């Protein structure tokens, strides 16, 4: 009897966690991807290419964008273009979306992924840096989404927003970064309501990531956190699948979802546990 119950449970779990992703849904899809010169964005560019997408890549470093573009073509992308842009400039989002529209003739997926450089340390009271980071990590996302929404509404497309566990549960050493990620959740989760109420068929997928092994993240967290990092290529694929299956939120690694569910149960104990993962003396 116990064996039978366990079998049913496993069957139910497999049913709810089954992979509904259809790679053909990405073939020929028109994608605008930000933060595509390195890290998770670069890995997403390669996955989209393997699925045969048409892609516009953007970031600041042109030499890296050129290299990523070449590799995307080798991997099977139908079309690849890049545009150099600095998202700290308020004019950049509109320029980038217009470029993508002109090159691809429309848009099916907008992937907002870039982040500005920020120190991993105790907050030093630098309000100007927080203001700048809000522009790069939050306001530019708002402006990119605003410029692309009418185009995504036409294609019944997907707006994919890359966030972090620190945008759901606050953590030390990331004060300004965490604020920008919480702001993304507030803005895009609220916007999701409004799109539904207006019967606009644009899906918003918020992606909650844990520590990922990108060069930048490893360099910043080395000797400062007691956590292991997860692979960027797998994080990238999870994000793409989430957008393609029109998921509301995706979590990578998967167990972050459980953490978010119990987030508010024991706040004092939770904070003590979180702080124990950080090495303060060498920060
Ligand atoms: P990286 O630092 O590796 O890459 C950031 C990308 O953003 C690069 O392509 C960079 O290119 C671009 N970028 C930086 N500044 C600007 C700017 N001012 N204007 C335009 N583009 C810019 O980041 P990750 O790949 O690690 O992170 C990707 C996403 O995943 C982010 O949203 C991040 O918050 C999220 N995430 C990452 C985690 C991790 O541990 N790695 C954990 C949780 C979430 P360039 O310098 O050429 O402009």
């Amino acid at each position: 009897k116990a064996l039978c119950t366990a079998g049913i449970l496993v069957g139910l779990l497999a049913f709810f966690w089954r992979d509904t992703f259809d790679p053909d849904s990405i073939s020929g899809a028109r994608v605008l991807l930000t933060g595509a010169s390195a890290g998770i964005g670069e890995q997403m560019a390669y996955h989209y290419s393997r699925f045969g997408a048409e892609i516009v890549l953007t970031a600041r470093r042109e030499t890296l964008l050129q290299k990523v573009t070449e590799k995307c073509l080798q991997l099977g992308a139908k079309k690849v273009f890049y545009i150099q842009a600095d998202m700290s400039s308020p004019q950049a989002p509109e320029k980038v979306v217009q470029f993508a529209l002109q090159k691809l003739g429309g848009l099916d997926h907008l992937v907002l992924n870039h982040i500005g450089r920020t120190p991993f340390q105790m907050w030093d009271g630098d309000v100007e840096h927080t203001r700048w980071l809000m522009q790069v990590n939050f306001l530019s996302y708002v402006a990119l989404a605003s410029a692309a929404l009418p185009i995504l509404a036409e294609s019944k497309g997907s707006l994919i927003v890359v966030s972090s566990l620190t945008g759901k549960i606050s953590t030390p050493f990331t004060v300004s970064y965490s604020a920008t990620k919480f702001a993304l959740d507030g803005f895009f989760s609220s916007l999701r309501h409004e799109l539904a109420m207006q019967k606009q068929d644009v899906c918003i997928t918020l992606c909650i990531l844990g520590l990922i092994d990108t060069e930048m993240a490893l360099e910043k967290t080395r000797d400062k956190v007691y956590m292991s990092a997860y692979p960027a290529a797998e994080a990238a694929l999870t994000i793409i699948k989430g957008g393609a299956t029109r998921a509301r939120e995706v979590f990578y690694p998967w167990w972050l979802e459980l953490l978010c569910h119990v987030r508010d149960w024991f706040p004092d104990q939770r904070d003590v546990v979180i702080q124990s993962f950080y090495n303060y003396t060498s920060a």
Side-chain angles (χ1 to χ4, degrees), residues 7 14 22 30 55 107 113 165 188 208 218 221 234 253 278:
D22 173 11
R30 297 158 299 177
I55 321 168
L107 215 51
N113 165 73
L165 185 63
F188 285 101
I208 314 302
L218 293 183
T221 57
E234 213 170 284
Y278 292 77

PDB file of all heavy atoms in Angstrom, residues 7 14 22 30 55 107 113 165 188 208 218 221 234 253 278:
ATOM      1  N   GLY A   7       4.150   5.710  -5.369  1.00  0.00           N
ATOM      2  CA  GLY A   7       4.090   5.721  -6.838  1.00  0.00           C
ATOM      3  C   GLY A   7       3.166   6.825  -7.331  1.00  0.00           C
ATOM      4  O   GLY A   7       3.500   7.559  -8.268  1.00  0.00           O
ATOM      5  N   ALA A  14       5.660  14.311 -11.098  1.00  0.00           N
ATOM      6  CA  ALA A  14       6.153  14.314 -12.485  1.00  0.00           C
ATOM      7  C   ALA A  14       5.163  15.059 -13.385  1.00  0.00           C
ATOM      8  O   ALA A  14       5.562  15.795 -14.293  1.00  0.00           O
ATOM      9  CB  ALA A  14       6.347  12.889 -12.973  1.00  0.00           C
ATOM     10  N   ASP A  22       8.365  23.658 -25.691  1.00  0.00           N
ATOM     11  CA  ASP A  22       8.466  23.161 -27.057  1.00  0.00           C
ATOM     12  C   ASP A  22       9.525  24.005 -27.791  1.00  0.00           C
ATOM     13  O   ASP A  22       9.279  25.182 -28.083  1.00  0.00           O
ATOM     14  CB  ASP A  22       7.101  23.299 -27.742  1.00  0.00           C
ATOM     15  CG  ASP A  22       7.186  22.948 -29.224  1.00  0.00           C
ATOM     16  OD1 ASP A  22       8.222  22.415 -29.653  1.00  0.00           O
ATOM     17  OD2 ASP A  22       6.195  23.229 -29.935  1.00  0.00           O
ATOM     18  N   ARG A  30      11.451  36.364 -32.701  1.00  0.00           N
ATOM     19  CA  ARG A  30      12.254  37.596 -32.753  1.00  0.00           C
ATOM     20  C   ARG A  30      12.508  38.067 -31.317  1.00  0.00           C
ATOM     21  O   ARG A  30      11.581  38.367 -30.582  1.00  0.00           O
ATOM     22  CB  ARG A  30      11.501  38.664 -33.546  1.00  0.00           C
ATOM     23  CG  ARG A  30      11.278  38.237 -35.006  1.00  0.00           C
ATOM     24  CD  ARG A  30      10.135  38.963 -35.640  1.00  0.00           C
ATOM     25  NE  ARG A  30       8.874  38.697 -34.945  1.00  0.00           N
ATOM     26  CZ  ARG A  30       7.710  39.263 -35.254  1.00  0.00           C
ATOM     27  NH1 ARG A  30       7.635  40.115 -36.253  1.00  0.00           N
ATOM     28  NH2 ARG A  30       6.613  38.983 -34.573  1.00  0.00           N
ATOM     29  N   ILE A  55      17.808  37.338 -33.445  1.00  0.00           N
ATOM     30  CA  ILE A  55      18.152  38.012 -32.184  1.00  0.00           C
ATOM     31  C   ILE A  55      18.784  39.385 -32.397  1.00  0.00           C
ATOM     32  O   ILE A  55      19.612  39.559 -33.293  1.00  0.00           O
ATOM     33  CB  ILE A  55      19.175  37.167 -31.382  1.00  0.00           C
ATOM     34  CG1 ILE A  55      18.863  35.674 -31.484  1.00  0.00           C
ATOM     35  CG2 ILE A  55      19.208  37.572 -29.920  1.00  0.00           C
ATOM     36  CD1 ILE A  55      19.969  34.783 -30.981  1.00  0.00           C
ATOM     37  N   LEU A 107       8.645  41.927 -32.655  1.00  0.00           N
ATOM     38  CA  LEU A 107       9.313  41.381 -31.470  1.00  0.00           C
ATOM     39  C   LEU A 107       8.407  40.351 -30.805  1.00  0.00           C
ATOM     40  O   LEU A 107       7.223  40.613 -30.609  1.00  0.00           O
ATOM     41  CB  LEU A 107       9.555  42.552 -30.493  1.00  0.00           C
ATOM     42  CG  LEU A 107      10.811  42.552 -29.642  1.00  0.00           C
ATOM     43  CD1 LEU A 107      12.054  42.329 -30.486  1.00  0.00           C
ATOM     44  CD2 LEU A 107      10.921  43.902 -28.921  1.00  0.00           C
ATOM     45  N   ASN A 113      17.803  41.865 -18.894  1.00  0.00           N
ATOM     46  CA  ASN A 113      18.761  41.061 -18.141  1.00  0.00           C
ATOM     47  C   ASN A 113      19.967  41.861 -17.622  1.00  0.00           C
ATOM     48  O   ASN A 113      20.599  41.451 -16.656  1.00  0.00           O
ATOM     49  CB  ASN A 113      19.227  39.919 -19.068  1.00  0.00           C
ATOM     50  CG  ASN A 113      20.467  39.215 -18.566  1.00  0.00           C
ATOM     51  OD1 ASN A 113      20.401  38.453 -17.605  1.00  0.00           O
ATOM     52  ND2 ASN A 113      21.602  39.482 -19.188  1.00  0.00           N
ATOM     53  N   LEU A 165      17.052  36.373  -6.084  1.00  0.00           N
ATOM     54  CA  LEU A 165      16.474  36.057  -4.772  1.00  0.00           C
ATOM     55  C   LEU A 165      16.501  37.313  -3.886  1.00  0.00           C
ATOM     56  O   LEU A 165      15.607  37.532  -3.081  1.00  0.00           O
ATOM     57  CB  LEU A 165      17.267  34.920  -4.106  1.00  0.00           C
ATOM     58  CG  LEU A 165      16.670  34.424  -2.796  1.00  0.00           C
ATOM     59  CD1 LEU A 165      15.287  33.821  -3.005  1.00  0.00           C
ATOM     60  CD2 LEU A 165      17.579  33.425  -2.104  1.00  0.00           C
ATOM     61  N   PHE A 188       6.627  45.195 -12.324  1.00  0.00           N
ATOM     62  CA  PHE A 188       6.178  44.241 -13.350  1.00  0.00           C
ATOM     63  C   PHE A 188       5.045  43.328 -12.849  1.00  0.00           C
ATOM     64  O   PHE A 188       4.205  42.919 -13.654  1.00  0.00           O
ATOM     65  CB  PHE A 188       7.366  43.454 -13.912  1.00  0.00           C
ATOM     66  CG  PHE A 188       8.188  44.294 -14.849  1.00  0.00           C
ATOM     67  CD1 PHE A 188       9.374  44.882 -14.447  1.00  0.00           C
ATOM     68  CD2 PHE A 188       7.743  44.559 -16.144  1.00  0.00           C
ATOM     69  CE1 PHE A 188      10.115  45.696 -15.297  1.00  0.00           C
ATOM     70  CE2 PHE A 188       8.474  45.379 -17.010  1.00  0.00           C
ATOM     71  CZ  PHE A 188       9.663  45.948 -16.588  1.00  0.00           C
ATOM     72  N   ILE A 208      13.641  34.484 -10.874  1.00  0.00           N
ATOM     73  CA  ILE A 208      14.304  34.628  -9.579  1.00  0.00           C
ATOM     74  C   ILE A 208      15.501  33.683  -9.544  1.00  0.00           C
ATOM     75  O   ILE A 208      15.331  32.461  -9.530  1.00  0.00           O
ATOM     76  CB  ILE A 208      13.341  34.245  -8.419  1.00  0.00           C
ATOM     77  CG1 ILE A 208      11.957  34.874  -8.608  1.00  0.00           C
ATOM     78  CG2 ILE A 208      13.944  34.579  -7.066  1.00  0.00           C
ATOM     79  CD1 ILE A 208      11.936  36.363  -8.702  1.00  0.00           C
ATOM     80  N   LEU A 218      31.211  35.617  -9.249  1.00  0.00           N
ATOM     81  CA  LEU A 218      32.219  34.862  -8.489  1.00  0.00           C
ATOM     82  C   LEU A 218      33.297  35.800  -7.956  1.00  0.00           C
ATOM     83  O   LEU A 218      33.728  35.688  -6.814  1.00  0.00           O
ATOM     84  CB  LEU A 218      32.842  33.774  -9.368  1.00  0.00           C
ATOM     85  CG  LEU A 218      31.894  32.632  -9.775  1.00  0.00           C
ATOM     86  CD1 LEU A 218      32.637  31.577 -10.586  1.00  0.00           C
ATOM     87  CD2 LEU A 218      31.237  31.984  -8.556  1.00  0.00           C
ATOM     88  N   THR A 221      31.793  37.798  -4.952  1.00  0.00           N
ATOM     89  CA  THR A 221      31.373  37.096  -3.731  1.00  0.00           C
ATOM     90  C   THR A 221      32.487  36.250  -3.096  1.00  0.00           C
ATOM     91  O   THR A 221      32.309  35.739  -1.995  1.00  0.00           O
ATOM     92  CB  THR A 221      30.158  36.179  -4.025  1.00  0.00           C
ATOM     93  OG1 THR A 221      30.516  35.257  -5.070  1.00  0.00           O
ATOM     94  CG2 THR A 221      28.943  36.982  -4.449  1.00  0.00           C
ATOM     95  N   GLU A 234      22.723  26.745 -17.432  1.00  0.00           N
ATOM     96  CA  GLU A 234      21.459  26.148 -16.998  1.00  0.00           C
ATOM     97  C   GLU A 234      20.465  27.225 -16.548  1.00  0.00           C
ATOM     98  O   GLU A 234      19.268  27.132 -16.822  1.00  0.00           O
ATOM     99  CB  GLU A 234      21.747  25.185 -15.846  1.00  0.00           C
ATOM    100  CG  GLU A 234      20.816  23.996 -15.813  1.00  0.00           C
ATOM    101  CD  GLU A 234      21.314  22.954 -14.809  1.00  0.00           C
ATOM    102  OE1 GLU A 234      22.287  22.252 -15.140  1.00  0.00           O
ATOM    103  OE2 GLU A 234      20.739  22.861 -13.714  1.00  0.00           O
ATOM    104  N   PRO A 253      18.104  28.041  -8.644  1.00  0.00           N
ATOM    105  CA  PRO A 253      17.627  26.664  -8.619  1.00  0.00           C
ATOM    106  C   PRO A 253      16.181  26.582  -8.112  1.00  0.00           C
ATOM    107  O   PRO A 253      15.712  27.485  -7.436  1.00  0.00           O
ATOM    108  CB  PRO A 253      18.593  25.970  -7.647  1.00  0.00           C
ATOM    109  CG  PRO A 253      19.134  27.075  -6.791  1.00  0.00           C
ATOM    110  CD  PRO A 253      19.174  28.296  -7.640  1.00  0.00           C
ATOM    111  N   TYR A 278      27.163  34.940   5.348  1.00  0.00           N
ATOM    112  CA  TYR A 278      28.039  36.025   4.892  1.00  0.00           C
ATOM    113  C   TYR A 278      29.226  36.195   5.820  1.00  0.00           C
ATOM    114  O   TYR A 278      29.076  36.181   7.041  1.00  0.00           O
ATOM    115  CB  TYR A 278      27.246  37.343   4.803  1.00  0.00           C
ATOM    116  CG  TYR A 278      26.222  37.299   3.693  1.00  0.00           C
ATOM    117  CD1 TYR A 278      25.031  36.599   3.858  1.00  0.00           C
ATOM    118  CD2 TYR A 278      26.464  37.907   2.462  1.00  0.00           C
ATOM    119  CE1 TYR A 278      24.097  36.506   2.837  1.00  0.00           C
ATOM    120  CE2 TYR A 278      25.535  37.839   1.436  1.00  0.00           C
ATOM    121  CZ  TYR A 278      24.356  37.133   1.637  1.00  0.00           C
ATOM    122  OH  TYR A 278      23.448  37.050   0.621  1.00  0.00           O
TER     123      TYR A 278
END
